[in-house]
Amino acid sequence: MRTRPLKVALLGCGVVGSEVARLMTAHADDLAARIGAPVELAGVAVRRPSKVRAGVDPALVTTDATALVKRGDLDVVIEVIGGIEPARSLITTAFEHGASVVSANKALLAEDGATLYAAAAEHGRDLYFEAAVAGAIPLIRPLRESLAGDTVNRVLGIVNGTTNFILDRMDTAGAGYSEALDEATALGYAEADPTADVEGFDAAAKAAILAGIAFHTRVRLDDVHREGITEVTSADLASAQRMGCTVKLLAICERAADGRSVTARVHPAMIPLSHPLASVRGAYNAVFVEAEAAGQLMFYGPGAGGAPTASAVLGDLVAVCRNKLGGATGPGESAYTRLPVSPMGDVVTRYHINLDVADKPGVLAQVATVFAEHGVSIDTVRQKGKDGEASLVVVTHRAPDAALSGTVAALRKLDTVRGVASIMRVEGE
């Protein structure tokens, strides 16, 4: 074993960063044995140096992150500060000064991963980011390495624990959205400002990363169709239950049947209770990967939190340090297919549509005519009426999303349609 330690700098020492520092100290001997050399925490960049951080030597703490990554003697920089800047500049500067990088920054990777990949390749350094998607669940490495010889056609999963907890409480406990959100906040699953989670931004960033790796093409956050869960109601969950379904916020990345394009989307969807994702409860994550040779693979576990995310960070740290000792680098960007990302309108989906309609003869015929005019076939329909008002629930067969959207727009114009109570896609069948 080499006795000279590999030097590691930590950018950020919040929930995840502090856990990384703790585990590096607590498992120092094991890490050294697994890597083949000891690792030494050489510096910690923070915004508030006066804060007490258990297990971190105050002498290592600095507010000058730029100076830290420019030291020139670092082997690895761990970035867990998040956001676009200064994280992007700090990472590229670390590459320029000889360090490889382990990051948990999903937003930056989804927004400008190409810049990071290019900088890493230019300077012959590693960029690892297992912790950026699904916390402790091994997902990035299987896609980049274990399935490197296979063709991945679809990635479908729950990649945000906050929204899964909220929808689960609405489904199993009958809670309303606001009540479930309050509970998630009290338990620490939701941030004080939950927008990134409940509006789907967090899941969309992860979908962009997964699609890019799975399909060997560049997919940015702007390419991902995004819908959150703020409009999901208790009535939607009740409708799903009547269909033998539940509602989940899904990240769905697909290769077109002809292999010439890909799609990436995040939105609430009804899935059958028989589907394995339906049983994913609380703040857990689960992802299905469908590949031509390997078939269906499922990855399940805690998708967030200090310890689970730190576990993924340390796994990357071990891999990067091993590469450093061996004089090699791991996989970089694989974007050789250069496939276009199709818009949501081209995606073929099913819809569950709940209409408030007049309770009189001929309404169903009018509604069915609208569907037929837009080339959308009806799978099932259920009507319930009382005192001149009725509810009409239509579940469609699969059709282009643009055709379904056009159908809904035309339905709104019918005199007999009082309103569209809810619209939700149906997946997993």
Side-chain angles (χ1 to χ4, degrees):
M1 178 186 291
R2 193 179 91 167
T3 58
R4 183 168 61 84
L6 295 162
K7 293 188 176 182
V8 180
L10 180 60
L11 306 183
C13 200
V15 173
V16 176
S18 60
E19 191 67 15
V20 169
R22 185 189 71 80
L23 291 173
M24 283 183 64
T25 301
H27 302 297
D29 292 342
D30 285 338
L31 290 173
R34 294 167 190 174
I35 292 169
V39 289
E40 172 190 315
L41 188 59
V44 181
V46 300
R47 287 185 297 176
R48 295 185 294 276
S50 60
K51 181 179 178 181
V52 177
R53 295 170 173 86
V56 176
D57 183 351
L60 298 178
V61 175
T62 178
T63 58
D64 194 342
T66 301
L68 178 60
V69 298
K70 284 184 174 181
R71 279 178 39 162
D73 64 339
L74 298 175
D75 295 290
V76 184
V77 169
I78 298 174
E79 183 272 311
V80 287
I81 57 177
I84 307 302
E85 289 291 354
R88 175 170 48 199
S89 297
L90 291 170
I91 290 173
T92 55
T93 300
F95 290 141
E96 292 166 4
H97 288 80
S100 291
V101 173
V102 172
S103 177
N105 196 332
K106 54 186 169 287
L108 176 56
L109 287 158
E111 180 67 31
D112 197 16
T115 294
L116 304 186
Y117 278 124
E122 178 184 355
H123 298 284
R125 306 301 169 194
D126 271 328
L127 173 64
Y128 275 56
F129 47 89
E130 185 67 63
V133 180
I137 304 172
L139 185 57
I140 300 300
R141 192 171 287 115
L143 284 173
R144 292 175 91 182
E145 300 178 31
S146 303
L147 294 173
D150 208 338
T151 299
V152 176
N153 291 319
R154 193 170 194 238
V155 180
L156 168 72
I158 299 164
V159 295
N160 183 273
T162 300
T163 52
N164 198 58
F165 177 86
I166 292 171
L167 292 173
D168 185 34
R169 294 300 293 164
M170 292 175 69
D171 184 35
T172 60
Y177 170 78
S178 296
E179 181 185 353
L181 174 58
D182 289 344
E183 186 176 354
T185 303
L187 291 171
Y189 296 137
E191 302 287 345
D193 179 1
T195 302
D197 292 324
V198 300
E199 294 292 355
F201 289 100
D202 175 84
K206 295 170 182 176
I209 295 170
L210 292 174
I213 297 172
F215 307 135
H216 303 279
T217 195
R218 285 182 179 171
V219 180
R220 298 179 69 249
L221 180 59
D222 291 345
D223 296 321
V224 182
H225 174 83
R226 176 192 55 79
E227 299 173 28
I229 66 167
T230 55
E231 301 300 319
V232 177
T233 66
S234 298
D236 292 327
L237 271 299
S239 293
Q241 290 172 357
R242 286 193 290 270
M243 288 180 58
C245 295
T246 189
V247 176
K248 299 291 185 181
L249 182 73
L250 297 180
I252 306 169
C253 312
E254 294 177 306
R255 186 192 301 269
D258 61 8
R260 296 180 180 177
S261 64
V262 299
T263 60
R265 50 196 167 103
V266 168
H267 54 70
M270 294 182 179
I271 58 173
L273 294 177
S274 57
H275 194 285
L277 289 179
S279 62
V280 178
R281 301 297 185 187
Y284 274 70
N285 285 190
V287 178
F288 259 87
V289 176
E290 299 177 9
E292 287 188 3
Q296 289 189 336
L297 308 173
M298 182 173 176
F299 301 83
Y300 170 83
T309 306
S311 171
V313 169
L314 289 182
D316 280 350
L317 176 63
V318 170
V320 170
C321 287
R322 285 172 175 170
N323 290 345
K324 182 81 174 183
L325 292 178
T329 55
E333 182 181 29
S334 177
Y336 71 92
T337 63
R338 299 181 181 178
L339 297 173
V341 182
S342 297
M344 185 64 192
D346 292 347
V347 175
V348 177
T349 62
R350 298 182 66 202
Y351 265 33
H352 174 281
I353 306 171
N354 192 342
L355 303 172
D356 294 327
V357 299
D359 186 16
K360 62 182 184 181
V363 173
L364 181 56
Q366 286 185 329
V367 169
T369 298
V370 170
F371 277 90
E373 289 174 347
H374 287 80
V376 178
S377 177
I378 294 175
D379 182 15
T380 63
V381 63
R382 184 177 72 250
Q383 185 173 7
K384 182 178 180 180
K386 183 180 180 181
D387 299 329
E389 299 294 332
S391 174
L392 189 64
V393 178
V394 178
V395 179
T396 72
H397 285 290
R398 292 171 63 84
D401 200 79
L404 289 161
S405 297
T407 302
V408 173
L411 289 171
R412 294 181 190 275
K413 297 178 181 179
L414 293 178
D415 292 339
T416 52
V417 175
R418 311 298 193 207
V420 180
S422 67
I423 307 170
M424 190 166 294
R425 296 177 183 87
V426 181
E427 297 286 346
E429 296 183 329

